[in-house]
Amino acid sequence: MIALIYLLSGCASVPKGPTVSAEKKSPPGQVTVAVLEFEDHSIVANPRAQGLGPILADRVSEDLAMRPGVRVIDRESLEKILEELSLSNREISNPEERLRLGKLLGAQYLIMGGFTSFGKGLRVDGRIVSVEKGLTMGISEEGLLDARNLIAREFSKKIADTLAANAGLSAKAVPETSEDFLRQGMAFEQSHENQKALEMYKKAVALDPKNREAKERLEALLLKELQ
């Protein structure tokens, strides 16, 4: 997980609650998304499904980060606020808590869900929740547990396609701007794919030498790789 908490400038005070930094509001033509770790809903825990929750969250984040106009909040920031608010996925289903969390993060959409392993099978169920409108879109993918990586890829693509269509964004799943490459690099870094993250940060800096965050993340990751 990324060691540094990625919270943009701007603070919001929440009455009778923890003091946390809020994300900036998304500029026109861009949406901010928070992806929660997926929960294991299996009746009996299956060792072959172990660790699938964070894997699904990473894959969804990576696919979303590749879509122009989508900004994904890094997991460290999300987990910090969830911890300070003492919120679980179930509690976030409450519209009031969902709106509270979304405002703190500056997120227009929350993505959450779970997976169920049964025998040799696996089913993944996710929800795309519009923070303010309260609308929920359900996405599912099912297959053999041995093909869990393929299921995760297909599921994350469905999530990204559905969100892009609902938010009126481009469906073209390739980075185009310096900010797009920065977000993609952050997604790769979250899933510990540091070489891919370095490539994205280098492209971000090449497109915009004034992209301070891309420069800082590139330098920090290079130092980390040398250790």
Side-chain angles (χ1 to χ4, degrees), residues 6-12 21-33 69-71 73 99 101-109 131-132 179 183:
Y6 178 60
L7 290 177
L8 297 179
S9 59
C11 297
S21 298
E23 300 283 349
K24 289 195 302 185
K25 290 185 178 181
S26 301
Q30 178 179 301
V31 296
T32 300
V33 184
V70 177
R71 178 178 175 276
I73 296 172
L99 181 60
L101 176 62
K103 285 184 175 180
L104 281 172
L105 294 169
Q108 289 79 49
Y109 293 92
V131 172
E132 294 189 359
E179 287 298 316
R183 289 193 294 270

Side-chain angles (χ1 to χ4, degrees), residues 112-160:
M112 62 187 76
F115 61 93
T116 306
S117 59
F118 46 92
K120 296 182 178 181
L122 175 67
R123 178 183 173 89
V124 181
D125 295 287
R127 290 178 292 157
I128 302 174
V129 182
S130 172
V131 172
E132 294 189 359
K133 296 180 181 179
L135 299 176
T136 300
M137 294 158 278
I139 306 292
S140 297
E141 187 70 23
E142 190 172 343
L144 295 176
L145 185 56
D146 288 342
R148 69 182 219 172
N149 289 335
L150 176 60
I151 294 172
R153 286 199 300 271
E154 292 298 320
F155 174 77
S156 64
K157 185 178 184 303
K158 284 184 179 180
I159 288 283

Side-chain angles (χ1 to χ4, degrees), residues 19-193:
T19 302
V20 291
S21 298
E23 300 283 349
K24 289 195 302 185
K25 290 185 178 181
S26 301
Q30 178 179 301
V31 296
T32 300
V33 184
V35 182
L36 282 70
E37 186 171 309
F38 284 65
E39 298 182 325
D40 188 349
H41 295 159
S42 307
I43 296 176
V44 179
N46 190 325
R48 290 185 296 168
Q50 187 175 6
L52 190 55
I55 288 174
L56 286 167
D58 285 341
R59 293 294 174 269
V60 171
S61 295
E62 288 171 13
D63 255 340
L64 288 171
M66 290 181 68
R67 305 301 173 107
V70 177
R71 178 178 175 276
V72 182
I73 296 172
D74 72 272
R75 194 190 303 169
E76 186 76 14
S77 300
L78 177 58
E79 288 182 352
K80 179 178 176 61
I81 289 182
L82 288 175
E83 181 180 350
E84 293 195 17
L85 295 178
S86 299
L87 287 176
S88 66
N89 281 20
R90 181 174 298 180
E91 290 170 320
I92 295 171
S93 297
N94 181 302
E96 292 183 0
E97 295 295 354
R98 186 171 60 228
L99 181 60
R100 183 186 182 196
L101 176 62
K103 285 184 175 180
L104 281 172
L105 294 169
Q108 289 79 49
Y109 293 92
L110 300 178
I111 295 177
M112 62 187 76
F115 61 93
T116 306
S117 59
F118 46 92
K120 296 182 178 181
L122 175 67
R123 178 183 173 89
V124 181
D125 295 287
R127 290 178 292 157
I128 302 174
V129 182
S130 172
V131 172
E132 294 189 359
K133 296 180 181 179
L135 299 176
T136 300
M137 294 158 278
I139 306 292
S140 297
E141 187 70 23
E142 190 172 343
L144 295 176
L145 185 56
D146 288 342
R148 69 182 219 172
N149 289 335
L150 176 60
I151 294 172
R153 286 199 300 271
E154 292 298 320
F155 174 77
S156 64
K157 185 178 184 303
K158 284 184 179 180
I159 288 283
D161 287 344
T162 303
L163 177 67
N166 184 264
L169 302 173
S170 171
K172 190 176 181 182
V174 293
E176 294 180 334
T177 68
S178 179
E179 287 298 316
D180 290 334
F181 281 112
L182 170 60
R183 289 193 294 270
Q184 180 63 13
M186 291 171 62
F188 280 131
E189 191 174 351
Q190 270 193 322
S191 56
H192 308 292
E193 298 180 75

